[in-house]
Amino acid sequence: MSTQTLGSARPALPARTAATTRARRGGVGALLQLLALLLLILFLVLPIYWMVATSLKTTGQTFAIPPRFLFQPTLSHYREIFSEGAVPRSLVNSLVVALASTVAAVVLGTPAAYALARFDFRGKADLWFWFISNRFISPIVVALPFFLLARDLDLLNSRLVLVLVYLTFNVPLVVWLSTDQFRLVPREVDDAALVDGAGPWRTFFQINLPLATPGIAVAAILCFVFSWNEFLFSLVLTREQTRTAPVEASNFMTDFGTRWGPMMATGTLIVLPVLIFAAFASRHLVRGLTMGAVK
Amino acid sequence: MPRLPLPRTDARLGVVASPALAAPRRRRGRFNPTPALMLLPAVLTLLAVGIYPLIQAVNTSFKLYQINKPRQGTPYVGLDNYQTVLGDGFFWRSLLRTGQLFLYTVPLQVVLGVGIALLLGATRWRGLALVSRVLLVLPIATTPTVVGLVGRLVYDQEFGVLNWTLGLVGLGPVSWVGSATAAMFTIALTDTWQWTPFVALVALAGLTAVPPDIVEASKLDTDRWWDTFRHVQLPFLLPGLTAVLIIRTADILKLFDMVFVLTRGGPGVSTEFVSVYIQRVGFRIFDLGIASAQGVLLLVLCIVLSRVYITLFYREIEA
């Protein structure tokens, strides 16, 4: 298996098979397949299209019956949320928190991953289980004590708490994914470095780390995406000044009604960068979600 | 010391059991400080942000801790909270509901996902298949909160685009989140929109690993696609689908964002899954003692399930 890069994200589709040739012959079968594919594409795209479209409609058009699929787009909702200030502030909060937590997770996680990939020691299996079992812990269980701790330390309105709490899923993610990556670096490289007199740390920093960069970049992107998408911790651990964007977006629903246009504009601003990232790293998204179990 | 059995790296299955364990051995016997130092920052961090809060949660679960009644203090009350939780019908029903949702969604997502993967793998419309392959990522990457918000828009009874579409064929209007049954169905439908593509991508990765000539050979032996699927392709899919089962179990126990935004657990408590219920007790009723006890019980459930699953999934290690 070669070193993975972002560019080679898409696996080749299974090669043409006998079924392909058969489908080419059967007209009805091919037509059904076409129908199924178009239906699938509509199913995948329509909700996202509807969000973006609603963000570009006037409020009147939003409630129009029959719904408007084509219309004159307007940026008025975007201007609205930017002049009000809460949404841009929350986007900055999301960006700062996600970046800080990602960087911290990479710094903390890569040496650990290297140790797991290269060295042998007692209790390694247990340590591995512990890292992996973090994927199973429900965030609400962590959110309760974190809320009390943050309240006692007077940190409820700080971004630091979110950076720390996001490490609970980011550090394990970096460890899982980069352990795989370090294992792809041939051991001979390490041995050669040792012969040349480099210590284990120098071997790690100057030789392994650069070679594993593509895999670590993928881990970092996934950390960023998961932190950016997070909602529950931000809901219970932040206040007005430090809220992240998903919580701010949900605040457009009030007891007095919902401001659909600004809400969908905010939703679009949240989702678009993630979708662009994900399109590049689609295969690795699956790898990250399955803790590296599915390559 | 006995050597740990090396896990079989089954390349055919596309699953590597515990990569960490596969590292060759060296320097047995003498304590080597280097790996310990390399592991220390990550381990200490996870102890601080992962384990310490859990210990605090266990501690809180033994206290009377109602933060909207500060004057009564936070005295220890022994196992009272656990007694309350175990006798609380709402808690058990929220767990049951979570199990129900799992049954409504995961089997359907597996069947649909595998179906999509087979279609994309075998169709003659290569261009459209490639486009779909890229678009499958959309729902997975979409922020779950935003999925819930868009759900509110699309499912709206008066101006929602879904009811309008149903109206075209003479159906509806449907009140998507108006009744208990409908709301449960709507949550299941939304979860299926978001996670079927995940199953499809995992299944596609599995299908890619099937050597094409084996499939060709089996086509010569049998005319029924089911035989080819069952005996040739399915074995390659199973490890990935096991992973899907594990991940989806964990995720449904965690499910909060989309539901909180879409239904707030309602109407009534009809979509109040276990994480949503604990959040309500802790952060809307402000009874941290009870909520912590519920959290600890959920944690025990998560740990038991993860041990069972990891043992099944990485069973080479235990062998």
Side-chain angles (χ1 to χ4, degrees):
Chain A
M1 191 170 155
S2 64
T3 310
Q4 277 147 343
T5 59
L6 284 179
S8 65
R10 247 185 285 121
L13 287 163
R16 282 168 191 245
T17 60
T20 326
T21 13
R22 202 165 306 157
R24 207 173 291 137
R25 272 183 240 126
V28 181
L31 213 62
L32 277 177
Q33 288 181 357
L34 179 67
L35 210 66
L37 281 171
L38 290 177
L39 213 63
L40 173 67
I41 291 175
L42 274 183
F43 184 70
L44 295 171
V45 170
L46 265 186
I48 306 287
Y49 169 76
W50 206 244
M51 169 182 74
V52 179
T54 306
S55 79
L56 297 171
K57 285 177 181 175
T58 63
T59 307
Q61 288 166 338
T62 301
F63 297 108
I65 303 230
R68 301 277 169 82
F69 286 86
L70 295 171
F71 55 93
Q72 178 75 40
T74 163
L75 286 174
S76 66
H77 294 306
Y78 290 88
R79 267 183 235 115
E80 207 174 324
I81 57 178
F82 273 93
S83 67
E84 284 169 12
V87 169
R89 182 179 58 211
S90 71
L91 285 167
V92 171
N93 284 337
S94 279
L95 187 69
V96 170
V97 169
L99 274 181
S101 194
T102 300
V103 169
V106 168
V107 169
L108 294 164
T110 43
Y114 178 73
L116 285 170
R118 276 293 192 268
F119 295 94
D120 184 38
F121 48 85
R122 206 189 293 186
K124 189 154 111 170
D126 291 327
L127 198 62
W128 183 255
F129 276 140
W130 180 48
F131 278 125
I132 226 170
S133 61
N134 276 282
R135 181 70 170 76
F136 284 83
I137 293 173
S138 207
I140 186 69
V141 184
V142 183
L144 291 161
F146 245 90
F147 169 76
L148 292 176
L149 284 170
R151 195 191 54 159
D152 293 345
L153 298 170
D154 209 16
L155 286 174
L156 265 190
N157 207 4
S158 93
R159 295 188 285 213
L160 177 67
V161 172
L162 281 192
V163 174
L164 290 177
V165 80
Y166 288 178
L167 289 178
T168 56
F169 53 85
N170 282 339
V171 170
L173 189 69
V174 170
V175 172
W176 299 320
L177 295 185
S178 6
T179 305
D180 269 6
Q181 194 66 38
F182 284 122
R183 283 181 61 246
L184 296 176
V185 179
R187 299 189 61 82
E188 291 72 29
V189 175
D190 277 30
D191 294 337
L194 275 175
V195 170
D196 287 344
W201 284 93
R202 227 180 122 198
T203 313
F204 166 65
F205 277 113
Q206 295 197 338
I207 294 163
N208 281 269
L209 211 50
L211 286 174
T213 304
I216 295 167
V218 166
I221 287 181
L222 292 178
C223 285
F224 183 88
V225 169
F226 291 148
S227 309
W228 179 265
N229 281 352
E230 205 283 329
F231 177 76
L232 174 57
F233 287 127
S234 176
L235 178 74
V236 301
L237 296 175
T238 60
R239 297 287 173 268
E240 201 183 341
Q241 295 297 316
T242 49
R243 252 177 224 148
T244 57
V247 179
E248 199 62 61
S250 70
N251 278 345
F252 284 110
M253 299 184 298
T254 68
D255 293 339
F256 311 106
T258 301
R259 293 171 60 203
W260 295 104
M263 187 161 90
M264 289 303 131
T266 310
T268 306
L269 290 177
I270 296 172
V271 167
L272 273 191
V274 184
L275 292 187
I276 292 167
F277 266 151
F280 283 111
S282 67
R283 180 163 174 219
H284 304 288
L285 194 68
V286 170
R287 210 158 68 90
L289 284 167
T290 57
M291 306 173 282
V294 175
K295 307 279 168 194
Chain B
M1 178 181 295
R3 278 174 55 131
L4 273 168
L6 277 172
R8 288 188 302 272
T9 313
D10 210 341
R12 176 178 61 92
L13 299 182
V15 168
V16 177
S18 178
L21 287 171
R25 6 237 80 215
R26 55 158 47 177
R27 293 197 202 139
R28 251 287 169 234
R30 188 163 61 85
F31 176 71
N32 182 357
T34 312
L37 282 175
M38 286 177 164
L39 284 160
L40 208 58
V43 170
L44 284 183
T45 308
L46 277 184
L47 282 175
V49 300
I51 299 294
Y52 176 68
L54 294 184
I55 295 170
Q56 279 297 326
V58 173
N59 187 25
T60 312
S61 73
F62 294 121
K63 288 177 175 177
L64 177 68
Y65 210 128
Q66 297 172 322
I67 50 176
N68 55 348
K69 295 177 189 157
R71 240 178 291 162
Q72 69 188 13
T74 58
Y76 280 98
V77 291
L79 290 170
D80 278 12
N81 289 333
Y82 287 95
Q83 216 166 7
T84 311
V85 173
L86 292 177
D88 174 16
F90 284 101
F91 180 68
W92 291 110
R93 279 195 292 277
S94 76
L95 273 176
L96 194 68
R97 214 172 279 131
T98 311
Q100 264 176 329
L101 184 69
F102 181 87
L103 290 179
Y104 293 160
T105 53
V106 177
L108 179 70
Q109 291 167 8
V110 167
V111 171
L112 283 176
V114 171
I116 290 171
L118 289 173
L119 174 67
L120 295 188
T123 185
R124 60 171 288 195
W125 311 93
R126 304 313 302 164
L128 276 181
L130 271 175
V131 171
S132 319
R133 171 71 185 69
V134 174
L135 293 177
L136 280 174
V137 181
L138 284 183
I140 306 172
T142 305
T143 314
T145 315
V146 176
V147 173
L149 296 176
V150 175
R152 285 225 163 203
L153 178 75
V154 172
Y155 296 130
D156 191 279
Q157 194 173 350
E158 269 117 52
F159 67 92
V161 67
L162 208 52
N163 270 353
W164 175 78
T165 314
L166 287 179
L168 290 183
V169 288
L171 293 172
V174 178
S175 171
W176 291 93
V177 292
S179 71
T181 320
M184 188 75 173
F185 172 82
T186 302
I187 296 285
L189 176 69
T190 314
D191 189 80
T192 301
W193 177 78
Q194 186 156 33
W195 294 110
T196 299
F198 169 58
V199 185
L201 286 179
V202 170
L204 260 178
L207 283 184
T208 314
V210 187
D213 36 333
I214 300 188
V215 180
E216 295 289 346
S218 82
K219 299 254 153 114
L220 298 178
D221 282 344
T222 174
D223 254 349
R224 288 183 306 183
W225 72 270
W226 174 254
D227 289 332
T228 305
F229 174 70
R230 169 72 191 79
H231 297 289
V232 178
Q233 293 169 316
L234 191 61
F236 286 88
L237 294 180
L238 278 181
L241 294 182
T242 315
V244 163
L245 195 68
I246 298 172
I247 308 299
R248 292 301 297 143
T249 307
D251 285 350
I252 284 190
L253 281 170
K254 290 178 183 178
L255 182 68
F256 178 83
D257 307 3
M258 180 268 280
V259 177
F260 184 79
V261 173
L262 191 52
T263 67
R264 294 266 148 132
V269 292
S270 58
T271 54
E272 201 167 63
F273 305 104
V274 65
S275 291
V276 183
Y277 179 50
I278 299 179
Q279 194 270 349
R280 176 161 73 92
V281 173
F283 295 102
R284 286 189 273 170
I285 302 176
F286 293 115
D287 196 328
L288 273 291
I290 297 283
S292 295
Q294 293 169 335
V296 170
L297 291 176
L298 178 61
L299 180 69
V300 171
L301 182 65
C302 292
I303 290 173
V304 170
L305 277 178
S306 75
R307 285 312 289 209
V308 170
Y309 272 157
I310 292 174
T311 311
L312 285 175
F313 190 38
Y314 296 107
R315 61 177 166 279
E316 288 93 325
I317 299 163
E318 314 289 328

PDB file of all heavy atoms in Angstrom, chain B residues 198-216:
ATOM      1  N   PHE B 198     -22.673   6.662   4.123  1.00  0.00           N
ATOM      2  CA  PHE B 198     -21.517   6.135   4.856  1.00  0.00           C
ATOM      3  C   PHE B 198     -21.407   4.622   4.627  1.00  0.00           C
ATOM      4  O   PHE B 198     -20.342   4.098   4.273  1.00  0.00           O
ATOM      5  CB  PHE B 198     -21.682   6.484   6.334  1.00  0.00           C
ATOM      6  CG  PHE B 198     -20.718   5.809   7.271  1.00  0.00           C
ATOM      7  CD1 PHE B 198     -19.361   5.953   7.118  1.00  0.00           C
ATOM      8  CD2 PHE B 198     -21.198   5.031   8.319  1.00  0.00           C
ATOM      9  CE1 PHE B 198     -18.481   5.338   7.992  1.00  0.00           C
ATOM     10  CE2 PHE B 198     -20.328   4.415   9.201  1.00  0.00           C
ATOM     11  CZ  PHE B 198     -18.970   4.563   9.028  1.00  0.00           C
ATOM     12  N   VAL B 199     -22.542   3.916   4.799  1.00  0.00           N
ATOM     13  CA  VAL B 199     -22.547   2.469   4.556  1.00  0.00           C
ATOM     14  C   VAL B 199     -22.161   2.187   3.105  1.00  0.00           C
ATOM     15  O   VAL B 199     -21.374   1.283   2.820  1.00  0.00           O
ATOM     16  CB  VAL B 199     -23.927   1.861   4.867  1.00  0.00           C
ATOM     17  CG1 VAL B 199     -23.877   0.349   4.725  1.00  0.00           C
ATOM     18  CG2 VAL B 199     -24.397   2.250   6.247  1.00  0.00           C
ATOM     19  N   ALA B 200     -22.704   2.995   2.193  1.00  0.00           N
ATOM     20  CA  ALA B 200     -22.415   2.778   0.774  1.00  0.00           C
ATOM     21  C   ALA B 200     -20.919   2.915   0.491  1.00  0.00           C
ATOM     22  O   ALA B 200     -20.336   2.103  -0.236  1.00  0.00           O
ATOM     23  CB  ALA B 200     -23.217   3.759  -0.079  1.00  0.00           C
ATOM     24  N   LEU B 201     -20.289   3.929   1.074  1.00  0.00           N
ATOM     25  CA  LEU B 201     -18.852   4.129   0.835  1.00  0.00           C
ATOM     26  C   LEU B 201     -18.024   2.987   1.419  1.00  0.00           C
ATOM     27  O   LEU B 201     -17.063   2.525   0.798  1.00  0.00           O
ATOM     28  CB  LEU B 201     -18.395   5.467   1.433  1.00  0.00           C
ATOM     29  CG  LEU B 201     -18.837   6.713   0.669  1.00  0.00           C
ATOM     30  CD1 LEU B 201     -18.352   7.971   1.367  1.00  0.00           C
ATOM     31  CD2 LEU B 201     -18.319   6.677  -0.756  1.00  0.00           C
ATOM     32  N   VAL B 202     -18.412   2.527   2.618  1.00  0.00           N
ATOM     33  CA  VAL B 202     -17.706   1.395   3.221  1.00  0.00           C
ATOM     34  C   VAL B 202     -17.872   0.156   2.335  1.00  0.00           C
ATOM     35  O   VAL B 202     -16.903  -0.569   2.059  1.00  0.00           O
ATOM     36  CB  VAL B 202     -18.229   1.127   4.651  1.00  0.00           C
ATOM     37  CG1 VAL B 202     -17.677  -0.185   5.193  1.00  0.00           C
ATOM     38  CG2 VAL B 202     -17.873   2.282   5.576  1.00  0.00           C
ATOM     39  N   ALA B 203     -19.103  -0.074   1.866  1.00  0.00           N
ATOM     40  CA  ALA B 203     -19.359  -1.242   1.026  1.00  0.00           C
ATOM     41  C   ALA B 203     -18.602  -1.134  -0.300  1.00  0.00           C
ATOM     42  O   ALA B 203     -18.061  -2.126  -0.806  1.00  0.00           O
ATOM     43  CB  ALA B 203     -20.858  -1.392   0.776  1.00  0.00           C
ATOM     44  N   LEU B 204     -18.541   0.089  -0.859  1.00  0.00           N
ATOM     45  CA  LEU B 204     -17.785   0.281  -2.107  1.00  0.00           C
ATOM     46  C   LEU B 204     -16.322  -0.064  -1.913  1.00  0.00           C
ATOM     47  O   LEU B 204     -15.704  -0.708  -2.765  1.00  0.00           O
ATOM     48  CB  LEU B 204     -17.901   1.744  -2.556  1.00  0.00           C
ATOM     49  CG  LEU B 204     -18.911   2.064  -3.645  1.00  0.00           C
ATOM     50  CD1 LEU B 204     -18.926   3.550  -3.909  1.00  0.00           C
ATOM     51  CD2 LEU B 204     -18.597   1.307  -4.918  1.00  0.00           C
ATOM     52  N   ALA B 205     -15.766   0.356  -0.757  1.00  0.00           N
ATOM     53  CA  ALA B 205     -14.369   0.029  -0.467  1.00  0.00           C
ATOM     54  C   ALA B 205     -14.188  -1.485  -0.422  1.00  0.00           C
ATOM     55  O   ALA B 205     -13.190  -2.021  -0.921  1.00  0.00           O
ATOM     56  CB  ALA B 205     -13.943   0.659   0.862  1.00  0.00           C
ATOM     57  N   GLY B 206     -15.179  -2.189   0.154  1.00  0.00           N
ATOM     58  CA  GLY B 206     -15.114  -3.639   0.201  1.00  0.00           C
ATOM     59  C   GLY B 206     -15.189  -4.259  -1.181  1.00  0.00           C
ATOM     60  O   GLY B 206     -14.415  -5.157  -1.527  1.00  0.00           O
ATOM     61  N   LEU B 207     -16.104  -3.744  -2.002  1.00  0.00           N
ATOM     62  CA  LEU B 207     -16.278  -4.296  -3.358  1.00  0.00           C
ATOM     63  C   LEU B 207     -15.028  -4.086  -4.198  1.00  0.00           C
ATOM     64  O   LEU B 207     -14.680  -4.925  -5.035  1.00  0.00           O
ATOM     65  CB  LEU B 207     -17.464  -3.625  -4.057  1.00  0.00           C
ATOM     66  CG  LEU B 207     -18.859  -4.078  -3.658  1.00  0.00           C
ATOM     67  CD1 LEU B 207     -19.893  -3.371  -4.525  1.00  0.00           C
ATOM     68  CD2 LEU B 207     -19.004  -5.583  -3.800  1.00  0.00           C
ATOM     69  N   THR B 208     -14.363  -2.947  -3.974  1.00  0.00           N
ATOM     70  CA  THR B 208     -13.153  -2.654  -4.737  1.00  0.00           C
ATOM     71  C   THR B 208     -12.081  -3.712  -4.495  1.00  0.00           C
ATOM     72  O   THR B 208     -11.229  -3.954  -5.342  1.00  0.00           O
ATOM     73  CB  THR B 208     -12.610  -1.267  -4.339  1.00  0.00           C
ATOM     74  OG1 THR B 208     -13.711  -0.357  -4.319  1.00  0.00           O
ATOM     75  CG2 THR B 208     -11.592  -0.779  -5.337  1.00  0.00           C
ATOM     76  N   ALA B 209     -12.145  -4.345  -3.299  1.00  0.00           N
ATOM     77  CA  ALA B 209     -11.123  -5.323  -2.961  1.00  0.00           C
ATOM     78  C   ALA B 209     -11.381  -6.685  -3.598  1.00  0.00           C
ATOM     79  O   ALA B 209     -10.520  -7.554  -3.567  1.00  0.00           O
ATOM     80  CB  ALA B 209     -11.047  -5.468  -1.436  1.00  0.00           C
ATOM     81  N   VAL B 210     -12.583  -6.886  -4.179  1.00  0.00           N
ATOM     82  CA  VAL B 210     -12.880  -8.179  -4.804  1.00  0.00           C
ATOM     83  C   VAL B 210     -12.131  -8.264  -6.132  1.00  0.00           C
ATOM     84  O   VAL B 210     -12.322  -7.406  -6.985  1.00  0.00           O
ATOM     85  CB  VAL B 210     -14.391  -8.332  -5.072  1.00  0.00           C
ATOM     86  CG1 VAL B 210     -14.702  -9.749  -5.560  1.00  0.00           C
ATOM     87  CG2 VAL B 210     -15.186  -8.017  -3.833  1.00  0.00           C
ATOM     88  N   PRO B 211     -11.289  -9.282  -6.311  1.00  0.00           N
ATOM     89  CA  PRO B 211     -10.599  -9.400  -7.592  1.00  0.00           C
ATOM     90  C   PRO B 211     -11.622  -9.599  -8.725  1.00  0.00           C
ATOM     91  O   PRO B 211     -12.455 -10.500  -8.626  1.00  0.00           O
ATOM     92  CB  PRO B 211      -9.740 -10.656  -7.427  1.00  0.00           C
ATOM     93  CG  PRO B 211      -9.668 -10.879  -5.956  1.00  0.00           C
ATOM     94  CD  PRO B 211     -10.920 -10.325  -5.373  1.00  0.00           C
ATOM     95  N   PRO B 212     -11.581  -8.755  -9.761  1.00  0.00           N
ATOM     96  CA  PRO B 212     -12.607  -8.807 -10.818  1.00  0.00           C
ATOM     97  C   PRO B 212     -12.686 -10.172 -11.486  1.00  0.00           C
ATOM     98  O   PRO B 212     -13.776 -10.616 -11.859  1.00  0.00           O
ATOM     99  CB  PRO B 212     -12.154  -7.739 -11.820  1.00  0.00           C
ATOM    100  CG  PRO B 212     -11.112  -6.943 -11.130  1.00  0.00           C
ATOM    101  CD  PRO B 212     -10.588  -7.720  -9.974  1.00  0.00           C
ATOM    102  N   ASP B 213     -11.543 -10.875 -11.616  1.00  0.00           N
ATOM    103  CA  ASP B 213     -11.602 -12.141 -12.353  1.00  0.00           C
ATOM    104  C   ASP B 213     -12.382 -13.194 -11.572  1.00  0.00           C
ATOM    105  O   ASP B 213     -12.987 -14.079 -12.172  1.00  0.00           O
ATOM    106  CB  ASP B 213     -10.196 -12.648 -12.712  1.00  0.00           C
ATOM    107  CG  ASP B 213      -9.177 -12.349 -11.627  1.00  0.00           C
ATOM    108  OD1 ASP B 213      -9.394 -11.361 -10.902  1.00  0.00           O
ATOM    109  OD2 ASP B 213      -8.205 -13.103 -11.501  1.00  0.00           O
ATOM    110  N   ILE B 214     -12.400 -13.083 -10.224  1.00  0.00           N
ATOM    111  CA  ILE B 214     -13.197 -14.036  -9.444  1.00  0.00           C
ATOM    112  C   ILE B 214     -14.678 -13.816  -9.722  1.00  0.00           C
ATOM    113  O   ILE B 214     -15.452 -14.760  -9.881  1.00  0.00           O
ATOM    114  CB  ILE B 214     -12.909 -13.883  -7.936  1.00  0.00           C
ATOM    115  CG1 ILE B 214     -11.433 -14.151  -7.664  1.00  0.00           C
ATOM    116  CG2 ILE B 214     -13.782 -14.827  -7.134  1.00  0.00           C
ATOM    117  CD1 ILE B 214     -11.102 -14.206  -6.203  1.00  0.00           C
ATOM    118  N   VAL B 215     -15.057 -12.507  -9.795  1.00  0.00           N
ATOM    119  CA  VAL B 215     -16.461 -12.201 -10.092  1.00  0.00           C
ATOM    120  C   VAL B 215     -16.809 -12.747 -11.474  1.00  0.00           C
ATOM    121  O   VAL B 215     -17.841 -13.408 -11.658  1.00  0.00           O
ATOM    122  CB  VAL B 215     -16.704 -10.680 -10.030  1.00  0.00           C
ATOM    123  CG1 VAL B 215     -18.145 -10.365 -10.337  1.00  0.00           C
ATOM    124  CG2 VAL B 215     -16.331 -10.147  -8.649  1.00  0.00           C
ATOM    125  N   GLU B 216     -15.926 -12.494 -12.444  1.00  0.00           N
ATOM    126  CA  GLU B 216     -16.162 -12.992 -13.813  1.00  0.00           C
ATOM    127  C   GLU B 216     -16.340 -14.501 -13.798  1.00  0.00           C
ATOM    128  O   GLU B 216     -17.260 -15.041 -14.418  1.00  0.00           O
ATOM    129  CB  GLU B 216     -14.970 -12.619 -14.706  1.00  0.00           C
ATOM    130  CG  GLU B 216     -14.775 -11.125 -14.923  1.00  0.00           C
ATOM    131  CD  GLU B 216     -15.849 -10.509 -15.806  1.00  0.00           C
ATOM    132  OE1 GLU B 216     -16.579 -11.279 -16.460  1.00  0.00           O
ATOM    133  OE2 GLU B 216     -15.960  -9.265 -15.815  1.00  0.00           O
TER     134      GLU B 216
END
